[in-house]
Structure formats: C-alpha cells, structure tokens
C-alpha cells in the first residue's frame, strides 16, 4: 500500500517520506522474521535439510532485498568450481537466504568458489570498517558497530546469521581490507 501511495504522489518530499516509512516497515518485518527464524533454529523445530544451490540462494536473497531497497546493486562472480561440483550444499534454503546477502551499502560484490570439500561465499562492500572492539562483538545479539549508528536495525542480523551457520555446520566471519568489509561464509560439502 505504501508503494502504491508513493507511485500516486508527485511531490518529491512526500515520496521521500513514504519511502522512509516503507523502509522502517521492512526493518520491523525483518526483525520479527529474524526472531522467528532464530527461535526455530535454536529449538530445532521441524527442520529438514535438502540440496540447495548457493548461487540460487544468493539471487533469491538479493531479489528480496532489491524489492525494498531499489538502489542496491550486486556484482556476482563464480571464482572457481570443482570439476564435478554444482555449488550445492545440504541446508534449509529460507534460512540460508537470511545469511547470504544483507548489506546497507548500495552495492555489494559477491564471490562464490567451490573446492572438493567446501563452498566459500564472500560478500564484500565498501564503507567504514569495524573497529577491533566491534569486530570482537560483531556476532553478539543486539550489537551494532559504530559504523551503523545512523542506520536503522535491531542488531540481530549477524547473530542470527552466525546461529544459522552453526546449525548448518558452517562458519561465518568478518575481515576488512582498507575500506572494504568482507564477510566470508564457508559451507562444508
């Protein structure tokens, strides 16, 4: 309804206000969904693993984010792939989508590579890197780095991502390179 209202109005100030409300609604919805996902993971409720292609997970996650943040862009690259690999892991697609692409920067680069025993996904964006203090606490619940003070959010996204990766027997970690934030996700095959 907010999107329709935004399309009906011609005044730029009103459009900006409506888009701001729409983003807040998305953030609130995302927080509630994240809490539900975390609850399911921690309780082990009726979860079934299936073969999931990581490239499809990344594109599905991107399309969901793009719907609400139209300015976001993604560069996608498959760096290497094992001879008989197809970028498939055992997992739960809806949970893995929550891990794969969550960036407040308008552009993210996603690299995926596969060896005989793991699939590695790197999500890289430009921006202020985290301090050493923030890096230590980045995967704790309700923690937000100083570089995200003016961005709305709950501080649950990375905690949920970490719990989901633990559930899938994988790893997620943060590194930085000058002005690039790099999240690396490793899935065993």
């Amino acid at each position: 309804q907010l999107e329709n209202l935004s399309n009906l109005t011609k005044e730029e100030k009103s459009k900006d206000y409506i888009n701001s409300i729409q983003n807040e609604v998305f953030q609130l919805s995302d927080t509630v969904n994240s809490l539900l996902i975390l609850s399911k993971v921690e309780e082990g409720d009726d979860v079934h693993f299936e073969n999931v292609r990581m490239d499809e997970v990344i594109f599905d996650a991107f399309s969901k984010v793009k719907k609400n943040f139209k300015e976001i862009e993604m560069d996608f690259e498959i760096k290497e792939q094992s001879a008989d690999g197809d970028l498939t892991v055992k997992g739960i697609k809806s949970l893995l989508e929550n891990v794969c692409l969550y960036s407040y920067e308008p552009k993210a680069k996603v690299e995926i590579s596969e060896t005989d025993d793991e699939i590695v996904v790197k999500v890289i964006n430009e921006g202020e890197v985290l301090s050493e203090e923030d890096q230590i606490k980045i995967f704790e619940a309700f923690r937000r780095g100083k570089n995200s003070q003016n961005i709305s959010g709950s501080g649950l996204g990375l905690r949920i991502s970490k719990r989901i990766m633990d559930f899938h027997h994988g790893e997620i970690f943060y590194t930085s390179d000058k002005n690039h934030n790099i999240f690396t996700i490793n899935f065993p095959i």
Side-chain angles (χ1 to χ4, degrees):
Q1 289 176 340
L2 287 169
E3 193 173 322
N4 288 338
L5 185 59
S6 178
N7 291 335
L8 290 175
T9 187
K10 293 183 183 3
E11 188 179 325
E12 201 58 39
K13 196 171 188 177
S14 295
K15 278 187 177 210
D16 289 344
Y17 184 68
I18 292 167
N19 288 337
S20 173
I21 294 171
Q22 188 175 354
N23 288 341
E24 292 297 322
V25 168
F26 175 76
Q27 292 293 335
L28 182 59
S29 173
D30 186 56
T31 300
V32 170
N33 287 331
S34 295
L35 288 169
L36 290 172
I37 288 170
L38 185 58
S39 167
K40 285 181 181 180
V41 167
E42 292 187 345
E43 292 179 15
D45 280 355
D46 194 29
V47 289
H48 302 287
F49 283 83
E50 59 188 5
N51 289 330
V52 179
R53 285 190 51 119
M54 286 308 302
D55 53 341
E56 291 176 7
V57 169
I58 291 165
F59 283 110
D60 288 350
F62 176 71
S63 68
K64 287 180 182 177
V65 172
K66 181 81 171 166
K67 189 186 314 182
N68 291 293
F69 298 98
K70 292 174 181 32
E71 71 281 357
I72 196 165
E73 296 177 25
M74 176 180 71
D75 288 337
F76 180 79
E77 179 181 354
I78 297 176
K79 298 284 264 184
E80 60 186 79
Q81 194 170 348
S82 63
D84 55 336
D86 59 1
L87 304 175
T88 300
V89 298
K90 287 275 191 202
I92 302 167
K93 188 173 184 178
S94 62
L95 294 181
L96 293 174
E97 284 177 4
N98 196 55
V99 175
C100 281
L101 187 63
Y102 202 88
S103 173
Y104 288 108
E105 295 300 319
K107 186 172 187 174
K109 180 177 184 179
V110 179
E111 299 175 351
I112 187 168
S113 59
E114 180 180 25
T115 64
D116 291 334
D117 53 355
E118 73 177 352
I119 293 177
V120 177
V121 178
K122 288 188 177 186
V123 180
I124 305 160
N125 66 14
E126 289 186 22
E128 185 181 342
V129 298
L130 296 175
S131 68
E132 286 185 32
E133 178 185 340
D134 286 340
Q135 288 181 37
I136 293 168
K137 299 174 182 179
I138 192 169
F139 294 105
E140 294 178 10
F142 304 108
R143 290 290 183 164
R144 301 191 63 214
K146 289 183 177 79
N147 65 348
S148 65
Q149 294 301 317
N150 296 324
I151 301 170
S152 62
S154 64
L156 288 171
L158 289 173
R159 174 65 182 158
I160 291 168
S161 296
K162 171 88 171 94
R163 291 293 298 135
I164 291 169
M165 290 308 299
D166 291 346
F167 183 73
H168 285 87
H169 306 289
E171 296 178 308
I172 181 171
F173 54 92
Y174 170 87
T175 57
S176 61
D177 176 21
K178 295 182 183 174
N179 63 337
H180 292 94
N181 294 292
I182 305 166
F183 287 90
T184 303
I185 305 162
N186 294 338
F187 294 94
I189 299 178

